[in-house]
């Protein structure tokens, strides 16, 4: 399965119908910033079912429809079609090609199609489950999604592993089964509620039929007792009403007699109250005068207090004025002395200012010398860096030459080995034969020497010894000839062409020369880098010295400003003190005048105090005589009040009797009226309850009727029996038959629901067990692959995957720890942008090793990678491109040149994206990018392809 084509119409910046045909391997999607490249990725995600407007970079879903430009009107519909090859039946369909289409209207209505058949969104999602393809699977990886993978919560990274493990479909099935299980539980609860109610009715209906006859008999007896009770009550009400009317007539006569006695009490009380008012006026007049005198005394007391305060104030003023005049004389003397001291301080400040100016001049000269030295050393650093750049270029050239020589050595070695017929096995056989023959000859020589020695000891003559020696030498000559032949055979198997390779003119010697040249360049680079490092350290020290000079000058200037400020402050302070001395001399004269004025006030206040004390004594004498008069008046008023209260009490007692009699009469009238209403109510209630008139039974009023308590007791007993029977349903038998049928149906339904619940629970358990096994197996494979891929992409280091909650595998988050070479093992948030990108790519490719996605879209994930990491990335990408189809949006030249196919996006018309196709060709023996007219194109300064 791979992506064949993508057709876009009206989606974002593509108002015209645009078709993109994709091929196997790596396809680079090129174009300047803002031309609409990422809109193609959005289109793929959108047609695969993306519902998040934030992910699609839109405010609402209708915003994906082309919104118009200055020269074009907005469209009313957007449509994206994606054609996927399915020849290997990876997708659950027999069709060799599957077209996924999504359409949206400006009204907000959306449509989904599979092979032009309208479907639901969930059908599209189910089609790609567990394939690695989908709007949230690992088939689409963007720069922003890298941060999402690496920075999101550990629980949010599970989707990659679930998709690779192939449990997404199981997870969907498990969720569906759990929803059905929840629905079954709800149905069971509902049936249980209904069954409880039906069971209760079932038992109730069973007993209701037997109660009907007993109920009718008791109701008949109740009616008879009710008639007797109502007649007895009616008779009692009529007799009580007649008695109340007689009592009311007697009360009205007694009420008239009592009203006459109230008139005499009113006349006596009125006369006493008139006398009381006269005495009260006198009392008020005396009390008013006493109050006036009391207020006058209080006023005099306040005045006396005020005069006393004033007297003390004058005394204090006199004392303060004398003290103040003395203080002013002392301050005048101190200020004059301080003026002399300030003049001396100003002279010292002038000396300090001259000294600071000299120090500032010295430090400024030090700054000039330090800056000149830093400039000189920076110039040397720049020149050395330029030299390093030239050395780097020479190193690159030597590296290319070394690579070429290595390839030539390998080719020549292989060709010469074939031409020479060199055979390692034959060489080993020849060497073994030579070594065996050599050991034989050596052994023979040793044995012959021992033999001759033995002959000498046994007394053989010289001639015999010589004969044996000549005989042995003949044999030894034959052996040496054979040994020489074997050695020549061994030498014939030696690779003589190696001498040509390592000769002074040979290619290996040339390679050694390149190696030595590269070593010398490396030493020069190392020496230059050490010199640059040394100069930069010296510059850093000089910068510190420069900062120290500048800080010293800054501090000295601050101190100089402070001294100047102190001198100015001293000058101002002298002027202020001189003004103060003049003002204090005036204040001294004012203080002397104030003391004289205070003494005059003391004499005047003493006279006023004596006059007020005399007035207060006269007023107190008048108050004493008026209090005696007031006491006599209060006694007379109390005697009159006592008489009035006595008369009022008698009047109140008589009035209360009248009110009591009047209340009794009114109460009797109300009771008579109430009895009439009760009699009427008896007739009305009886008719309302039984539909008959009680007057039909009035002829029995003259008869003796059983007492009301006895009737009530009998009636209550009958009512209790009826009440104890509960509700009586005359149709109970028919209703019981219907209830029984319903009860049997619900019981069977409950059994079926419980069986279905057990089956669903078993399915959920089986799915979770299988999912956990698949997930753990995939997790372990990805973890192992991730460590290997991380080391491969980073050229070392290590990385780990870690389950946050190993006890709950299906919900556990996954932590990622990474340790690039030379760093400590750390969390991803502390890595650089390039390291984070490479870590995400390592995780992506580790997942691909377990379950490769048929196709993958990479949106500028190489943006943060340097040239070295791009090389690692491309080598791995080209390896995986043998099994998967890659579409990569990029601005990187190396990525572009490593692609098989190129697609370009541009905006000839502002706001309108169009497609341009490119291909890889060769011009002058070099790989270049050609457009449709076979014209070479190059990269502009933004990294985009430009003609």
């Amino acid at each position: 399965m791979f992506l064949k084509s993508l057709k876009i119409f009206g989606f974002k910046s593509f108002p015209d119908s645009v078709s993109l045909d994709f091929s196997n391997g790596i396809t680079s999607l090129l174009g300047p910033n803002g031309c609409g490249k990422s809109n193609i990725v959005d289109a793929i995600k959108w047609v695969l079912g993306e519902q998040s407007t934030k992910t699609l970079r839109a405010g609402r879903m209708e915003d994906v429809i082309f919104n118009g430009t200055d020269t074009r009107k907005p469209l009313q519909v957007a449509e994206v079609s994606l054609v996927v090859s399915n020849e290997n039946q990876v997708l659950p369909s027999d069709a060799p090609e599957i077209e996924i289409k999504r359409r949206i209207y400006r009204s907000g209505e959306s449509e989904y199609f599979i092979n032009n058949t309208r479907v639901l969104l969930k059908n599209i999602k189910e089609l790609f489950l567990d394939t690695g393809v989908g709007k949230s699977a690992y088939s689409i990886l963007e720069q922003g999604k890298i941060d999402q993978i690496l920075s999101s919560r550990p629980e949010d990274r599970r989707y990659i592993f679930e998709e690779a493990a192939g449990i997404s479909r199981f997870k969907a099935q498990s969720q569906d089964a759990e929803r059905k299980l929840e629905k079954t539980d709800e149905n069971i609860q509902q049936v249980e509620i209904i069954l409880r109610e039906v069971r209760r009715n079932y038992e109730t209906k069973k007993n209701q039929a037997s109660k009907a006859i007993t109920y009718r008999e008791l109701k008949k007896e109740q009616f008879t007792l009710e008639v007797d009770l109502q007649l007895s009550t009616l008779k009692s009400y009529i007799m009580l009403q007649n008695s109340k009317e007689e009592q009311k007539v007697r009360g009205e006569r007694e009420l008239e007699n009592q009203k006459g006695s109230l008139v005499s009490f009113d006349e006596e009380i009125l006369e006493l109250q008139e006398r009381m008012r006269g005495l009260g006026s006198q009392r008020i007049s005396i009390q008013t005068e006493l109050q006036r005198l009391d207020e006058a005394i209080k006023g005099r007391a306040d005045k006396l207090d005020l005069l006393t305060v004033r007297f003390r104030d004058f005394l204090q003023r006199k004392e303060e004025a004398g003290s103040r005049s003395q203080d002013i004389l002392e301050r005048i003397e101190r200020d004059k002395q301080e003026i002399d001291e300030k003049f001396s301080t100003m002279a010292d400040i002038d000396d300090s200012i001259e000294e600071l100016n000299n120090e500032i001049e010295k430090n400024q000269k030090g700054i000039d010398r330090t800056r000149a030295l830093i400039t000189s050393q920076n110039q040397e650093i720049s020149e050395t860096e330029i030299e390093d750049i030239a050395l780097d270029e020479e190193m690159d050239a030597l590296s290319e030459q070394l690579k070429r020589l290595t390839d030539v050595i390998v080719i020549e070695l292989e060709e010469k080995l074939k031409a020479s017929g060199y055979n390692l096995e034959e060489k080993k056989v020849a060497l073994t034969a030579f070594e065996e023959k050599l050991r034989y000859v050596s052994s023979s020589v040793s044995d012959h020497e021992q033999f001759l020695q033995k002959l000498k000891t046994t007394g053989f003559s010289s001639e015999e010894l010589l004969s044996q020696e000549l005989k042995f030498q003949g044999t030894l000559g034959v052996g040496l000839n054979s040994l020489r032949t074997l050695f020549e055979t061994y030498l014939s198997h030696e690779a003589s062409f190696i001498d040509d390779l390592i000769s002074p003119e040979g290619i290996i010697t040339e390679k050694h020369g390149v190696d030595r040249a590269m070593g010398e360049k490396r030493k020069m680079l190392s020496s230059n880098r050490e010199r640059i490092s040394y100069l930069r350290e010296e510059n850093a020290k000089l910068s510190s010295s420069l900062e120290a000079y500048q800080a010293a000058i800054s501090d000295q200037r601050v101190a100089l400003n402070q001294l100047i400020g102190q001198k100015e402050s001293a000058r101002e302070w002298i002027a202020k003190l001189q003004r103060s001395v003049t003002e204090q001399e005036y204040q001294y004269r004012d203080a002397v005048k104030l003391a004289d004025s205070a003494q005059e006030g003391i004499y005047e206040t003493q006279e006023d105090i004596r006059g007020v004390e005399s007035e207060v004594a006269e007023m107190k004498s008048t108050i004493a005589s008026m209090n005696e008069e007031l006491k006599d008046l209060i006694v007379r008023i109390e005697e009159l009040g006592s008489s009035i209260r006595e008369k009022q009490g008698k009047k109140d007692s008589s009035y209360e009797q009248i009110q009591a009699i009047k209340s009794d009469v009114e109460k009797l009238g109300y009771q008579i009226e109430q009895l009439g209403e009760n009699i009427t109510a008896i007739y009305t209630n009886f008719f309302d309850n039984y539909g008959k008139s009680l007057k039909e039974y009035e002829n029995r009023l003259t008869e003796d009727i059983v007492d009301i308590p006895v009737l009530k007791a009998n009636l209550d007993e009958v009512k209790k029996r009826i009440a104890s029977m509960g509700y009586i349903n005359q149709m109970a038998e028919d209703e019981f038959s219907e209830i029984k049928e319903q009860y049997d149906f619900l019981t069977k339904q409950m059994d079926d629901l419980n069986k279905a619940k057990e089956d669903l629970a078993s399915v959920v358990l089986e799915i979770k067990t299988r999912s956990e096994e698949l997930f753990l197996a995939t997790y372990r494979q990805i973890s192992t692959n991730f460590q290997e891929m991380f080391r491969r992409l980073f050229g070392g280091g290590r990385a780990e995957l870690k389950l946050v909650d190993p006890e709950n595998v299906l919900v556990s988050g996954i932590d990622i720890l990474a340790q690039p070479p030379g760093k400590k093992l750390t969390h991803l948030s502390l890595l650089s942008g390039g390291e984070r990108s490479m870590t995400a790519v390592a995780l992506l490719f580790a997942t691909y090793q377990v379950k490769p996605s048929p196709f993958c879209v990479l949106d500028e994930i190489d943006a943060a990678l340097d040239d070295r990491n791009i090389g690692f990335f491309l080598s791995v990408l080209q390896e995986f491109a043998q099994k998967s189809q890659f579409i990569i949006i990029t601005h990187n030249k190396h990525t572009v040149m490593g692609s098989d196919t190129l697609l370009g996006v541009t905006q000839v018309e502002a706001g309108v994206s169009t497609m341009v196709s490119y291909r890889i060709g060769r011009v002058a023996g070099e790989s270049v990018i050609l457009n449709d007219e076979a014209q070479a194109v190059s990269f502009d300064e933004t990294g985009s392809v430009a003609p």
Side-chain angles (χ1 to χ4, degrees):
M1 181 180 76
F2 68 92
L3 187 62
K4 294 189 69 175
S5 64
L6 178 70
K7 188 175 182 180
I8 306 173
F9 170 70
F11 185 86
K12 289 199 172 182
S13 60
F14 291 91
D16 301 325
S17 180
V18 173
S19 181
L20 289 80
D21 295 324
F22 301 103
S23 60
N24 292 333
I26 304 173
T27 298
S28 284
L29 193 60
L30 312 176
N33 291 329
C35 68
K37 299 189 301 297
S38 294
N39 291 342
I40 295 176
V41 180
D42 291 343
I44 295 175
K45 289 190 292 185
W46 186 70
V47 75
L48 290 175
E50 180 62 66
Q51 296 295 309
S52 170
T53 55
K54 182 179 179 181
T55 302
L56 295 171
R57 300 173 297 140
R60 52 197 182 96
M61 192 57 73
E62 293 78 17
D63 290 344
V64 302
I65 303 174
F66 179 70
N67 204 31
T69 64
D70 293 339
T71 58
R72 293 196 182 215
K73 294 182 179 179
L75 297 181
Q76 300 302 313
V77 64
E79 180 180 289
V80 177
S81 301
L82 186 69
V83 178
V84 179
S85 171
N86 190 37
E87 295 177 356
N88 296 330
Q89 306 294 306
V90 176
L91 298 179
S93 174
D94 296 332
E97 283 187 358
I98 296 178
E99 181 188 42
I100 311 299
K101 184 189 296 181
R102 182 175 181 180
R103 185 183 298 147
I104 186 172
Y105 298 93
R106 187 70 71 178
S107 61
E109 180 185 359
S110 291
E111 296 175 345
Y112 302 89
F113 300 87
I114 297 179
N115 287 343
N116 292 322
T117 300
R118 189 165 181 177
V119 295
L120 300 175
L121 173 60
K122 71 173 185 177
N123 300 127
I124 294 179
K125 292 181 178 178
E126 290 171 354
L127 181 67
F128 291 102
L129 278 177
D130 298 331
T131 63
V133 175
K135 57 97 177 177
S136 61
Y138 51 80
S139 60
I140 301 176
L141 191 63
E142 307 160 85
Q143 182 66 25
K145 204 167 186 179
I146 290 174
D147 289 335
Q148 180 184 347
I149 292 172
L150 301 181
S151 302
S152 60
R153 297 184 304 116
E155 293 78 8
D156 296 339
R157 302 188 188 110
R158 288 185 52 85
Y159 72 91
I160 294 177
F161 297 84
E162 291 175 351
E163 190 72 23
I167 66 170
S168 297
R169 190 182 303 276
F170 290 154
K171 191 174 182 180
Q173 292 173 354
S174 175
Q175 291 172 350
D176 185 51
E178 287 177 348
R179 284 193 296 271
K180 289 180 180 178
L181 191 59
E182 292 175 1
K183 185 65 176 177
T184 302
D185 285 335
E186 293 176 2
N187 293 336
I188 288 175
Q189 292 176 1
Q190 293 174 359
V191 172
E192 283 180 344
I193 293 171
I194 298 171
L195 188 58
R196 283 198 297 270
E197 185 65 27
V198 170
R199 187 183 292 112
R200 191 163 47 249
N201 292 338
Y202 177 85
E203 297 297 332
T204 302
K205 298 298 181 183
K206 191 174 181 180
N207 298 322
Q208 285 182 352
S210 62
K211 294 181 181 179
I213 296 175
T214 304
Y215 175 77
R216 285 194 295 271
E217 292 176 352
L218 289 173
K219 290 296 289 184
K220 184 177 180 181
E221 183 181 356
Q222 177 186 357
F223 179 75
T224 301
L225 290 171
E226 194 70 48
V227 170
D228 291 343
L229 180 60
Q230 296 301 323
L231 289 174
S232 178
T233 303
L234 182 62
K235 186 175 181 179
S236 299
Y237 282 166
I238 292 172
M239 293 173 64
L240 184 59
Q241 187 181 36
N242 294 336
S243 173
K244 296 293 183 182
E245 288 177 350
E246 292 177 359
Q247 293 178 15
K248 181 181 178 185
V249 171
R250 290 197 297 272
E252 289 174 348
R253 287 199 295 269
E254 185 176 357
L255 182 62
E256 292 297 327
N257 293 333
Q258 288 292 336
K259 285 182 179 179
S261 61
L262 290 177
V263 178
S264 60
F265 286 121
D266 288 338
E267 292 175 354
E268 293 176 0
I269 290 172
L270 185 61
E271 181 181 356
L272 291 172
Q273 287 177 343
E274 190 67 31
R275 291 169 59 190
M276 184 81 166
R277 279 193 290 273
L279 294 175
S281 298
Q282 294 181 20
R283 179 181 179 182
I284 291 171
S285 177
I286 292 172
Q287 288 176 337
T288 301
E289 181 62 20
L290 285 172
Q291 186 175 5
R292 186 189 67 77
L293 290 171
D294 188 52
E295 292 295 331
I297 290 174
K298 289 180 180 179
R300 296 300 186 280
D302 292 341
K303 185 176 181 180
L304 189 61
D305 291 340
L306 181 61
L307 290 171
T308 302
V309 170
R310 184 182 297 172
F311 177 75
R312 291 173 181 168
D313 186 44
F314 280 130
L315 289 175
Q316 185 176 1
R317 286 182 189 178
K318 180 181 177 182
E319 183 178 354
E320 288 176 353
S323 175
R324 184 182 177 192
S325 62
Q326 185 63 33
D327 290 342
I328 291 171
L329 283 175
E330 292 176 358
R331 285 202 301 272
I332 289 172
E333 292 298 326
R334 286 198 302 272
D335 289 347
K336 288 181 178 179
Q337 184 178 357
E338 188 173 354
I339 288 171
D340 295 337
E341 292 175 356
K342 289 296 180 183
F343 277 119
S344 176
T345 300
M346 287 178 64
D348 294 338
I349 290 173
D350 287 336
D351 295 338
S352 297
I353 288 173
E354 184 178 357
E355 183 179 351
L356 277 175
N357 283 326
N358 293 333
E359 291 179 359
I360 289 171
E361 185 178 355
K362 292 179 182 178
N363 287 330
Q364 186 60 49
K365 291 178 179 178
I367 288 175
D368 295 339
R369 288 194 303 271
T370 303
R371 282 177 177 168
L373 185 56
I374 290 174
T375 303
S376 173
Q377 293 186 161
N378 281 334
Q379 181 65 27
E380 184 178 352
I381 288 172
S382 299
E383 292 172 355
T384 307
E385 287 178 341
I386 292 171
E387 183 180 349
D388 284 350
I389 293 171
L391 287 172
D392 284 332
E393 292 175 353
E394 293 175 5
M395 285 285 289
D396 291 341
L398 289 172
S399 179
E400 289 296 325
Q401 184 180 358
L402 183 63
K403 181 179 179 183
R404 180 182 60 77
L405 290 173
T406 303
D407 294 339
V408 171
I409 289 171
V410 171
I411 293 170
E412 287 189 6
L413 185 61
E414 185 175 358
E415 291 175 351
K416 289 181 180 295
L417 281 172
K418 290 179 180 179
S420 65
Y422 175 79
N423 191 308
L424 181 60
E425 293 298 326
E426 293 179 358
K427 181 181 178 181
K428 289 181 179 178
V429 171
L431 179 62
T432 303
F434 172 74
E435 289 174 344
E436 289 177 354
K437 189 64 176 179
L438 182 62
R439 284 195 299 272
Y440 173 75
V441 171
S442 298
S443 177
S444 298
V445 170
S446 177
D447 292 342
H448 177 67
E449 289 177 351
Q450 292 177 4
F451 177 70
L452 290 177
Q453 189 66 29
K454 187 175 181 182
L455 289 177
K456 290 177 180 180
T457 58
T458 54
F460 275 80
S461 63
S462 301
E463 292 80 6
E464 290 175 334
L465 291 173
L466 179 61
S467 176
Q468 290 293 329
E469 180 67 26
L470 292 173
K471 183 179 179 181
F472 174 74
Q473 287 180 359
T475 304
L476 179 62
V478 173
L480 289 174
N481 290 332
S482 177
L483 184 63
R484 185 179 297 107
T485 301
L486 290 174
F487 183 70
E488 289 174 353
T489 302
Y490 168 74
L491 289 177
S492 67
H493 291 286
E494 281 293 320
S496 59
F497 58 85
I498 293 178
D499 295 334
D500 297 335
L501 294 177
I502 63 176
S503 66
E505 298 81 13
I507 194 167
I508 293 180
T509 304
E510 184 180 355
K511 176 181 177 296
H512 290 163
V514 173
D515 288 337
R516 285 192 298 273
M518 289 184 70
E520 292 173 358
K521 300 296 182 186
R522 288 194 189 97
K523 289 179 181 179
M524 292 175 66
L525 280 171
S526 177
S527 176
N528 286 346
R529 286 168 182 164
E530 290 176 358
R531 178 59 180 170
I532 289 173
S533 176
Y534 169 76
L535 291 175
R536 284 176 175 165
E537 289 177 359
E538 287 298 312
N539 279 352
K541 294 176 182 178
L542 290 173
S543 296
S544 299
S545 300
L546 188 63
E547 291 174 359
Y549 279 129
Q550 291 173 339
I553 289 176
S554 177
D555 293 341
Q556 289 162 354
R557 285 176 177 167
V558 170
L560 182 62
N561 291 333
Q562 289 176 347
L563 289 173
I564 293 172
Q566 290 173 5
K567 180 179 178 181
E568 186 63 29
S569 297
R571 183 181 291 109
E572 293 176 356
W573 187 252
I574 290 172
K576 181 179 178 182
L577 288 175
Q578 290 173 342
R579 290 193 299 271
S580 177
V581 168
T582 303
E583 292 173 358
Q584 288 172 8
E585 289 174 347
Y586 286 113
Q587 290 174 0
Y588 174 74
R589 290 192 290 271
D590 292 340
V592 172
K593 291 180 181 178
L594 185 59
D596 296 340
S597 175
Q599 184 61 45
E600 294 177 0
I602 289 170
Y603 294 146
E604 293 176 357
T605 304
Q606 286 176 338
E607 291 297 326
D608 292 338
I609 288 173
R610 285 192 287 271
V612 172
E613 288 176 346
S614 175
E615 290 178 1
V616 169
E618 184 178 351
M619 288 179 183
K620 286 182 177 179
S621 176
T622 304
I623 287 172
S625 62
M626 292 185 71
N627 279 331
E628 290 297 328
E629 184 179 355
L630 182 61
K631 288 179 183 178
D632 295 338
L633 188 60
I634 289 171
V635 171
R636 292 167 59 191
I637 289 172
E638 287 178 354
E639 290 175 353
L640 284 174
S642 179
S643 298
I644 291 172
R645 284 194 295 273
E646 183 180 354
K647 295 294 183 181
Q648 187 67 42
K650 293 179 180 179
K651 176 187 173 183
D652 291 342
S653 177
S654 178
Y655 181 76
E656 288 174 0
Q657 291 178 4
I658 291 172
Q659 290 298 114
I661 295 170
K662 184 177 179 181
S663 176
D664 291 340
V665 171
E666 291 176 353
K667 188 182 296 183
L668 286 170
Y670 173 75
Q671 291 174 351
I672 293 168
E673 182 179 354
Q674 188 66 38
L675 287 169
E677 293 176 357
N678 290 344
I679 291 170
T680 303
I682 289 173
Y683 284 102
T684 302
N685 292 336
F686 188 84
F687 183 79
D688 292 341
N689 292 332
Y690 300 101
K692 294 182 179 181
S693 176
L694 190 59
K695 292 183 178 181
E696 297 179 9
Y697 306 97
E698 283 183 348
N699 56 350
R700 295 179 55 193
L701 288 173
T702 56
E703 301 175 0
D704 291 334
I705 303 174
V706 180
D707 292 340
I708 292 175
V710 177
L711 290 172
K712 283 186 175 181
N714 293 337
L715 182 60
D716 290 341
E717 181 64 26
V718 172
K719 286 182 177 180
K720 285 179 182 180
R721 291 176 62 188
I722 293 173
S724 65
M725 293 178 69
Y727 173 72
I728 304 299
N729 186 1
Q730 302 298 332
M731 301 298 293
E733 188 173 356
D734 295 337
E735 293 176 357
F736 174 70
S737 177
E738 295 175 1
I739 286 291
K740 186 176 184 305
E741 183 178 354
Q742 186 180 8
Y743 177 78
D744 293 340
F745 171 75
L746 290 173
T747 302
K748 184 177 182 303
Q749 188 177 15
M750 179 63 76
D751 293 339
D752 293 341
L753 287 172
N754 284 326
K755 180 65 169 60
K757 180 180 178 180
E758 292 176 2
D759 294 341
L760 286 171
S762 176
V763 169
V764 170
L765 180 60
E766 182 179 353
I767 290 174
K768 286 185 176 179
T769 302
R770 178 61 177 157
S771 299
E772 185 171 336
E773 292 173 355
L774 290 172
F775 182 85
L776 280 175
T778 303
Y779 167 77
R780 294 189 185 102
Q781 292 178 19
I782 293 178
S783 181
T784 301
N785 297 341
F786 178 54
Q787 295 179 38
E788 295 176 357
M789 191 59 65
F790 186 89
R791 287 194 294 269
R792 181 175 173 184
L793 288 174
F794 279 88
R798 66 189 183 97
E800 294 181 7
L801 295 179
K802 192 175 182 182
L803 286 174
V804 176
D805 186 4
E807 300 299 324
N808 298 296
V809 174
L810 292 181
V811 296
S812 172
I814 299 173
D815 254 337
I816 302 176
L817 300 175
Q819 183 180 8
K823 294 189 177 182
K824 293 183 178 179
L825 190 66
T826 183
H827 283 283
L828 301 173
S829 59
L830 300 178
L831 298 179
S832 67
E835 290 171 337
R836 291 164 62 83
S837 297
M838 289 290 282
T839 303
V841 169
L843 181 59
L844 174 68
F845 288 143
T847 307
Y848 266 53
Q849 287 180 304
V850 177
K851 185 172 185 178
S853 173
F855 61 84
C856 181
V857 180
L858 306 177
D859 188 358
E860 295 192 25
I861 66 167
D862 58 351
L865 305 183
D866 56 21
D867 288 347
R868 177 176 178 272
N869 289 333
I870 282 289
F872 289 140
F873 168 69
L874 286 176
S875 66
V876 177
L877 185 65
Q878 288 168 353
E879 178 182 327
F880 280 95
Q882 304 301 319
K883 296 181 180 179
S884 297
Q885 177 188 30
F886 286 90
I887 301 163
I888 179 166
I889 296 176
T890 182
H891 290 289
N892 191 284
K893 301 177 183 180
H894 301 288
T895 304
V896 172
M897 298 308 296
S899 303
D900 301 311
T901 309
L902 306 180
L903 292 174
V905 183
T906 186
Q907 288 192 357
V908 178
E909 179 183 346
V912 177
S913 298
T914 55
M915 300 301 301
V916 180
S917 30
Y918 300 93
R919 59 188 173 84
I920 299 294
R922 298 187 69 83
V923 174
E926 297 291 335
S927 295
V928 297
I929 302 172
L930 303 176
N931 60 17
D932 291 339
E933 289 76 26
Q935 295 175 333
V937 295
S938 60
F939 286 93
D940 61 17
E941 61 276 6
T942 66
S944 301
V945 174

